[in-house]
Amino acid sequence: IPANRLFNHPNVTRETEETVRTAVRKLPSHIYRLLENGGVTISIGPNIIDKWPDMVKNGRLDAAAESLAREGGRCYDRDVHVWERSIVRGTLNTGSLNSQDEIRNALHHEIGHAIDDCQGIYSATDEALRCHQDDVKQMDPVVRSRLSYYTQDGKKGASEACAELTSYLLGSRDNDSIACFQNFKRLLPLVKRKTSL
C-alpha cells in the first residue's frame, strides 16, 4: 500500500518489506498452505489511514479512529494488514518507525486472526469461550487488568487471546505474547490443537 500523499507519510521501508517476507517464508509449511488455500492476503502500509483515508473526518480522527491508527496491524476476515508507523496522538502525522520486532509481532498476531477465520472462527466456539472465561477468572486481578485487551468478555476477548497465543507459537516474544502464554493455560492447548503448532 503506497503512502497516501494526502498525509505526507513516508513510504514503507525496504527493511520492513524484507522483515515481512522473511517472516512469511519462515511460517511452518502447514500454516503457509492453510493461509494460501484460504486466500489470505498480507499487505504493508505506512498507517491504516493511508489505506482508508475516509477515516479522517474534517481533518481529524475521532477517538475510535485514532485508536485504530495507533495499532500495528489489523485483520479483516482473511486480509492481513501490517502498519509500519503509529499516528502521533492528536495529529495525522506518523511517528517513528516501529521496530522490526514490533512489526513481526504484529504480523504474527494478525496471521493468528486469519488462521482463526480459515478454521471457521474456532475462537467463537463454546469450548474456546469456556476456556477463555475460566482462564480469565483464575488470573490475578493485576494480570487480568494488564491483559485487558485479551481478557475482555465474550468473543472479542477470546479472539484476541487466541491470536496472541498463535503469535507466541509462531515465535513472537513480546511482553503480551509471553504473558498470554503464561496465563491462558486452558485456552493454549485448544489453540495448539487447532493450529497444529
Side-chain angles (χ1 to χ4, degrees):
I1 300 167
N4 190 311
R5 292 298 160 213
L6 285 173
F7 309 119
N8 294 315
H9 293 165
N11 286 323
V12 170
T13 64
R14 289 188 184 276
E15 182 182 20
T16 294
E17 290 177 5
E18 189 53 36
T19 292
V20 170
R21 279 195 191 97
T22 299
V24 171
R25 282 195 298 260
K26 287 184 175 180
L27 290 172
S29 58
H30 73 282
I31 295 294
Y32 189 92
R33 280 193 308 274
L34 176 71
L35 299 176
E36 187 173 48
N37 293 340
V40 172
T41 64
I42 298 173
S43 61
I44 315 165
N47 186 269
I48 194 171
I49 67 173
D50 294 292
K51 174 72 174 171
W52 291 289
D54 290 347
M55 292 174 65
V56 178
K57 309 286 188 199
N58 300 317
R60 61 183 298 274
L61 295 168
D62 65 22
E66 182 172 278
S67 179
L68 286 172
R70 295 188 53 74
E71 293 180 356
R74 203 76 181 160
C75 183
Y76 295 103
D77 301 319
R78 298 182 186 186
D79 296 327
V80 169
H81 303 277
V82 178
W83 314 121
E84 193 176 46
R85 300 167 191 267
S86 294
I87 288 291
V88 176
R89 287 189 194 280
T91 75
L92 299 179
N93 302 323
T94 54
S96 59
L97 182 69
N98 293 335
S99 75
Q100 296 305 302
D101 281 344
E102 289 171 323
I103 289 166
R104 189 179 307 103
N105 293 344
L107 173 67
H108 284 158
H109 179 89
E110 303 311 333
I111 284 175
H113 283 303
I115 291 170
D116 190 14
D117 195 88
C118 289
Q119 299 281 46
I121 314 183
Y122 72 84
S123 67
T125 62
D126 288 344
E127 181 186 11
L129 293 172
R130 187 173 57 254
C131 289
H132 177 264
Q133 184 179 42
D134 289 348
D135 282 334
V136 171
K137 283 180 183 175
Q138 293 298 314
M139 283 182 199
D140 178 277
V142 174
V143 173
R144 186 184 314 127
S145 177
R146 192 184 88 63
L147 295 177
S148 61
Y149 189 65
Y150 313 99
T151 59
Q152 56 191 303
D153 286 340
K155 293 177 182 177
K156 176 67 172 165
S159 171
E160 295 302 338
C162 287
E164 195 63 13
L165 288 169
T166 302
S167 178
Y168 181 93
L169 295 171
L170 289 173
S172 292
R173 294 296 183 271
D174 63 356
N175 290 338
D176 282 6
S177 63
I178 292 169
C180 285
F181 178 78
Q182 291 171 339
N183 290 283
F184 283 103
K185 300 180 187 305
R186 294 164 187 82
L187 193 57
L188 179 62
L190 184 149
V191 174
K192 284 182 174 180
R193 190 172 80 243
K194 292 294 187 179
T195 62
S196 299
L197 290 170

